[in-house]
Amino acid sequence: MSTPPVVAAVDGSDDSLRALDWALDAARLRGAPLRAVHVRQYATWVPDVLVAGPPQGEDDPVLDGARAHLAGRTDPGTDVEYVALDGLPGALLPELGADAQLLVLGSRGRGGFASLLLGSSGLAAARDAECPVVVVPRPGREVHDEADEEPPGPGPRVVVG
C-alpha cells in the first residue's frame, strides 16, 4: 500500500509558492510524496470572441516555475510529482483531497480581490475536501485580538476549524 501524498495547489503566485514550501516540509515530516498540482481554468467558448486555450501537450509554465522553485530543495527520499489539470479549481481541488493525506494552499491566488483573507478556491477546498486542509497565510499579517492581554509569542498563528 502506498503512502497518500501531500498535495500542494500552485498557480504561480507568491502565496502558492509559500504553500509549496510548507507542503514540502509537511511531506518530509510524514515520509510522504509531494504532489504539486496546477488547475488550469480556461474560459468557455463565447461567440465572436477569441479566447486563448490551454497549453498544448505537457507545457505548463506554472509547473515549470514550481520545479525551478524546488530545485535543490528536495531530498533524495522525497518524491515530487507535478500534475496539470484542466477545470475549475474550486471543484477539482476538493476532489484531490479524496486521495491525499493533506491539501495545502496559499491564502490568495491570482484572481479576485487581493484584500480578501481567503480566496474562493481555498474556501471551496476547506469546505469540501475529505482530507485536512492547510491554508498558508501571507507573512506579516497583523492579528487583532482584544482578548489577548499579552502580545502573542513568536511564530505564526494556526487556526483550526
Side-chain angles (χ1 to χ4, degrees):
M1 182 173 162
S2 64
T3 303
V6 171
V7 175
V10 294
D11 64 3
S13 67
D14 289 343
D15 285 356
S16 76
L17 294 178
R18 275 189 290 280
L20 183 60
D21 290 338
W22 198 99
L24 176 62
D25 289 341
R28 284 180 181 146
L29 289 171
R30 289 170 169 73
L34 173 63
R35 182 176 298 152
V37 178
H38 178 217
V39 179
R40 305 178 293 194
Q41 179 177 336
Y42 294 96
T44 57
W45 180 81
V46 179
D48 300 324
V49 176
L50 179 63
V51 178
Q56 298 299 316
E58 297 300 314
D59 181 34
D60 188 321
V62 170
L63 290 180
D64 292 342
R67 279 187 194 90
H69 183 77
L70 291 183
R73 296 183 187 187
T74 56
D75 300 328
T78 304
D79 292 329
V80 183
E81 177 185 16
Y82 298 89
V83 178
L85 301 172
D86 294 323
L88 296 172
L92 291 180
L93 290 176
E95 289 178 10
L96 295 173
D99 298 324
Q101 59 176 289
L102 193 61
L103 178 59
V104 183
L105 303 95
S107 61
R108 294 290 307 138
R110 291 203 169 273
F113 301 94
S115 62
L116 294 177
L117 180 62
L118 186 62
S120 59
S121 297
L123 184 60
R127 180 188 64 222
D128 299 334
E130 293 183 28
C131 69
V133 176
V134 174
V135 179
V136 178
R138 288 183 172 169
R141 280 185 25 250
E142 290 185 32
V143 178
H144 301 285
D145 189 355
E146 296 174 10
D148 287 341
E149 293 181 15
E150 296 180 24
R157 288 185 169 193
V158 175
V159 177
V160 179

